[in-house]
């Protein structure tokens, strides 16, 4: 399963057309409540039918998935709620129940939050000025994250801070 984005305008337009004109085969609704956030998510699964017959992607796509997120975010400063709506399309090579697609899509965000975001924000990977063999530093960052997580670290930023205050903390990790 892959997300269909604007860099594939023809395929995205066909996915939008399928969702606008056909009834979904399966639907999964969920609601997540957090302290200052409420998210209602709807996952709809569509059969592409003949809509992709003349497209190069036709033999590869067995299902089109539309995810619509309605999010209310409460501002701590004003107490007001801000509404946000997002729609994303996915193409899948297999037809599955909506619940499984929903779980897989949520699982991908766990990877994004636990790995990519930590690398970008906490480890400042995108700001790195290393231009010669940047893969070496990327591997070192990955190794550091793997060692920290293998030692039960949940908050990487806090672990870096603790290690900066007392290097002996880091030297006690298993796997060094």
């Amino acid at each position: 399963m892959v997300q269909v984005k604007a860099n594939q305008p023809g395929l995205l337009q066909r996915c939008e057309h399928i969702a606008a004109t056909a009834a979904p085969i399966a639907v999964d609704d969920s609601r997540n409540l957090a302290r200052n956030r409420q998210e209602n998510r709807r996952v709809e699964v569509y059969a592409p039918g003949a809509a992709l017959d003349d497209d190069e992607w036709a033999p590869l796509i067995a299902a089109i998935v539309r995810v619509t997120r309605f999010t209310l975010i409460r501002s701590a400063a004003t107490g007001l709620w801000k509404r946000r709506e997002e729609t994303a399309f996915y193409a899948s090579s297999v037809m599955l129940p909506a619940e499984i697609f929903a779980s897989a899509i949520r699982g991908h965000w766990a990877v994004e939050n636990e790995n990519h975001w930590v690398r970008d924000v906490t480890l400042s990977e995108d700001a790195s000025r290393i231009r010669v063999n940047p893969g070496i530093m990327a591997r070192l960052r990955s190794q550091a994250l793997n060692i920290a997580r293998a030692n039960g670290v949940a908050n990487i930023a806090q672990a870096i801070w603790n290690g900066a205050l007392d290097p002996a903390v880091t030297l006690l990790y298993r796997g060094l």
Side-chain angles (χ1 to χ4, degrees), residues 11-91:
L11 182 57
L12 180 59
Q13 186 177 27
R14 287 175 187 236
C15 290
E16 291 169 343
H17 175 72
I18 290 168
T21 59
I25 293 173
V27 176
D28 180 61
D29 289 314
S30 64
R31 172 181 273 183
N32 293 359
L33 300 172
R35 189 173 43 190
N36 290 328
R37 177 184 176 100
Q38 175 181 321
E39 181 181 74
N40 296 320
R41 176 185 295 251
R42 172 168 270 218
V43 176
E44 299 167 299
V45 181
Y46 298 89
L52 294 177
D53 281 350
D54 61 340
D55 195 288
E56 63 183 324
W57 296 102
L60 304 171
I61 299 175
I64 301 294
V65 180
R66 177 171 65 180
V67 179
T68 308
R69 296 175 204 87
F70 300 98
T71 309
L72 292 172
I73 301 170
R74 185 176 170 273
S75 169
T78 64
L80 298 175
W81 291 86
K82 179 181 173 187
R83 180 182 168 97
R84 186 174 70 200
E85 182 178 340
E86 300 171 285
T87 301
F89 286 92
Y90 296 83

Side-chain angles (χ1 to χ4, degrees), residues 154-173:
N155 187 333
I156 300 297
Q158 185 66 48
I160 290 171
W161 176 257
N162 293 341
L165 293 176
D166 183 4
V169 170
T170 306
L171 294 174
L172 294 175
Y173 284 165

Side-chain angles (χ1 to χ4, degrees), residues 140-155:
L140 287 172
R141 287 186 198 99
S142 292
Q143 189 174 12
L145 286 174
N146 289 340
I147 289 170
R149 293 215 170 97
N151 282 276
V153 173
N155 187 333

Side-chain angles (χ1 to χ4, degrees), residues 79-138:
L80 298 175
W81 291 86
K82 179 181 173 187
R83 180 182 168 97
R84 186 174 70 200
E85 182 178 340
E86 300 171 285
T87 301
F89 286 92
Y90 296 83
S92 174
S93 60
V94 294
M95 180 64 76
L96 297 169
E99 296 81 15
I100 293 176
F101 280 126
S103 176
I105 292 166
R106 287 292 280 191
H108 172 75
W109 280 108
V111 171
E112 180 67 29
N113 291 337
E114 292 173 9
N115 190 15
H116 297 253
W117 191 86
V118 170
R119 295 172 78 95
D120 292 345
V121 176
T122 305
L123 301 178
S124 302
E125 191 170 63
D126 287 349
S128 174
R129 302 293 300 158
I130 298 170
R131 299 292 181 252
V132 178
N133 294 326
I136 293 170
M137 281 304 297

